[in-house]
Amino acid sequence: MENRYAIILAAGKGTRMKSKLYKVLHPVAGKPMVEHIIEQVEETKPTEVVTIVGHGAEAIKGHLGDRSQYALQNEQKGTGHAVMQASALLEGKKGTTLVITGDTPLLKAETLNNLFEYHQGKNASATILTAHAEDPTGYGRIIRDRVGIVEKIVEQKDASNQEALVQEINTGTFCFDNEALFSALSKINTNNSQGEYYLTDIIEILKKEGKTIAAYQMDIFEEAMGVNDRVALAEANKIMHRRLNKMHMMNGVTLVDPENTYIDEGVIIGSDTVIEAGVQIKGATVIGEDCFIGANSEIVDSKIADNVKIIQSVLEKSVVHKDADVGPFAHLRPNAEIGERVHIGNFVEVKNASLDEDTKVGHLTYVGDAKLGKDINVGCGVVFVNYDGQAKHQTIIGDHSFIGSNVNLVSPVTVEKNAMIAAGSTITKDVAEHDLAIARAKQENKAGYAKKFPYFKGE
């Protein structure tokens, strides 16, 4: 196979986004647009990838790293000018060069491979990836002659009334003979309404030189959608989520209401897991088989084993082992590890803590900076008091212990296995195995004293 090169255009700021975040870094299904692009490009097995950067260059490099080489476009003078910046890296090399914009996150590798193959099959100097648009407003038009041969591309602002009616549009993605590309780039000018170097002018230049120009029309227009504003960004997210949801359903996952389920690209979900409406699953999350994810739960960068039940809860960077259940209204914060068959009930918050198998934390409890053993019962309203105002400290609870309701465990403190803590206690000292710890004021009842208060209503 001949050499394949790729140039990703990612230098524009994206003024229509009206954002401090550079356009190609806006996420679609949890991943910056330019990362979607490079992933699909990588599947075409290019020899070299060059990303043209300008605005936000360091931020883009931070996301893509060594997956690409980079060329800087200091001034944004059009798409042709952007491609010129790659000349030091690619000019003079034999092969085919893909030019693709960084704001078309819905393009698939299959389409790009089809474009490469079509280009090579036609022995063309340039091949345009086109699509049929019911409303072509904003796109460059593909102008063909009477027998269907491509003559040129006309940008929206330069189109005549007749040309503006054409519905075959330029997607902004091309394949070029690499040597022909850089030869033609030296011949383009800025004689247009924008005063820019249009990459599309290369088509007419190559045509006049007698070179073969081809156009490959993709089947699905939505793949070609460029994201230039927040409206298009929302639509791209909708399309990508629909695509991802279909993939998961085809893999055996039940989505009760797929139109209202939001799963990021890269999430892994096992078969026979059921996910209800309003669920958001983000980042590098992995969910096992036979799980139940209840309505309106949010799961971020977490690992969930098989047969886990999560009901209306939030999980962040946490691990939940098999047969455990979480919620409703629980919050697992970073570094929470929930063991097998552990129960985390309603309004329980766990942070930087591990709970071993069969332990139960039923309700209204905060577990922070702690290590809990097996088969522990933690009563209602327990607080692991882990912060002294300057530093965090750890609490350790041994196996088979019983922590009564409304207990404060002031860390650092250790409760050995098989110990008991009486309800309402504030524990500041270690508790030995088999001990019962009680730390509360002695109750004293004052006979008849309630009658002295002005709000007393009894007899």
Side-chain angles (χ1 to χ4, degrees), residues 87-371:
S87 60
L89 296 168
L90 297 179
E91 189 171 6
K93 295 182 178 180
K94 293 186 179 297
T96 300
T97 297
L98 172 74
V99 178
I100 186 169
T101 59
D103 61 358
T104 50
L106 299 175
L107 275 170
K108 296 180 181 179
E110 180 184 3
T111 299
L112 300 180
N113 274 317
N114 289 343
L115 176 63
F116 268 117
E117 291 169 10
Y118 188 86
H119 172 81
Q120 290 158 1
K122 292 292 184 180
N123 197 28
S125 291
T127 302
I128 311 156
L129 182 62
T130 73
H132 177 84
E134 290 299 322
D135 178 7
T137 303
Y139 291 94
R141 309 302 201 277
I142 305 299
I143 307 302
R144 298 177 182 263
D145 64 16
R146 294 178 182 176
V147 295
I149 296 173
V150 175
E151 289 188 327
K152 60 182 178 178
I153 301 172
V154 178
E155 298 299 327
Q156 168 83 32
K157 293 180 180 179
D158 299 310
S160 66
N161 290 337
Q162 184 174 357
E163 290 168 337
L165 296 174
V166 173
Q167 290 182 294
E168 186 179 11
I169 58 97
N170 169 33
T171 66
T173 299
F174 304 84
C175 271
F176 294 101
D177 173 88
N178 189 65
E179 292 172 296
L181 168 63
F182 286 99
S183 174
L185 279 171
S186 65
K187 301 169 186 175
I188 61 176
N189 57 53
T190 59
N191 295 332
N192 52 65
S193 63
Q194 294 289 94
E196 295 182 347
Y197 293 99
Y198 288 159
L199 181 62
T200 50
D201 286 350
I202 288 178
I203 302 303
E204 198 166 359
I205 290 169
L206 294 175
K207 182 76 175 177
K208 288 177 180 178
E209 292 176 352
K211 304 288 178 61
T212 300
I213 306 299
Y216 173 72
Q217 185 168 326
M218 65 170 64
D219 295 328
I220 303 173
F221 170 73
E222 68 180 26
E223 273 193 60
M225 189 178 76
V227 176
N228 291 308
D229 56 31
R230 304 295 181 126
V231 176
L233 181 65
E235 184 63 22
N237 268 289
K238 183 177 181 180
I239 292 168
M240 185 67 80
H241 280 128
R242 187 188 307 134
R243 184 188 292 178
L244 293 167
N245 287 353
K246 180 179 179 181
M247 176 194 73
H248 288 296
M249 288 188 286
M250 295 302 292
N251 288 338
V253 177
T254 295
L255 302 184
V256 175
D257 183 0
E259 289 299 312
N260 291 291
T261 302
Y262 308 95
I263 303 173
D264 278 0
E265 200 274 334
V267 168
I268 298 171
I269 306 174
S271 63
D272 290 316
T273 286
V274 176
I275 299 174
E276 292 192 326
V279 170
Q280 299 183 59
I281 306 175
K282 303 177 180 180
T285 294
V286 178
I287 298 176
E289 298 180 353
D290 302 298
C291 294
F292 177 83
I293 312 298
N296 303 312
S297 294
E298 181 179 1
I299 303 171
V300 183
D301 293 326
S302 296
K303 295 191 183 334
I304 298 168
D306 297 343
N307 200 37
V308 168
K309 181 181 288 188
I310 296 170
I311 303 175
Q312 287 177 282
S313 295
V314 176
L315 285 70
E316 308 169 73
K317 297 181 179 178
S318 297
V319 176
V320 182
H321 293 277
K322 66 181 183 180
D323 301 314
D325 66 281
V326 178
F329 312 118
H331 187 184
L332 302 188
R333 292 172 59 193
N335 299 316
E337 183 169 0
I338 308 304
E340 294 183 14
R341 299 178 302 280
V342 167
H343 168 63
I344 301 294
N346 51 291
F347 303 105
V348 171
E349 180 178 349
V350 181
K351 189 262 319 175
N352 195 31
S354 63
L355 291 78
D356 211 340
E357 59 189 53
D358 297 309
T359 287
K360 297 175 176 58
V361 186
H363 29 225
L364 298 164
T365 290
Y366 171 68
V367 182
D369 294 287
K371 184 176 180 180

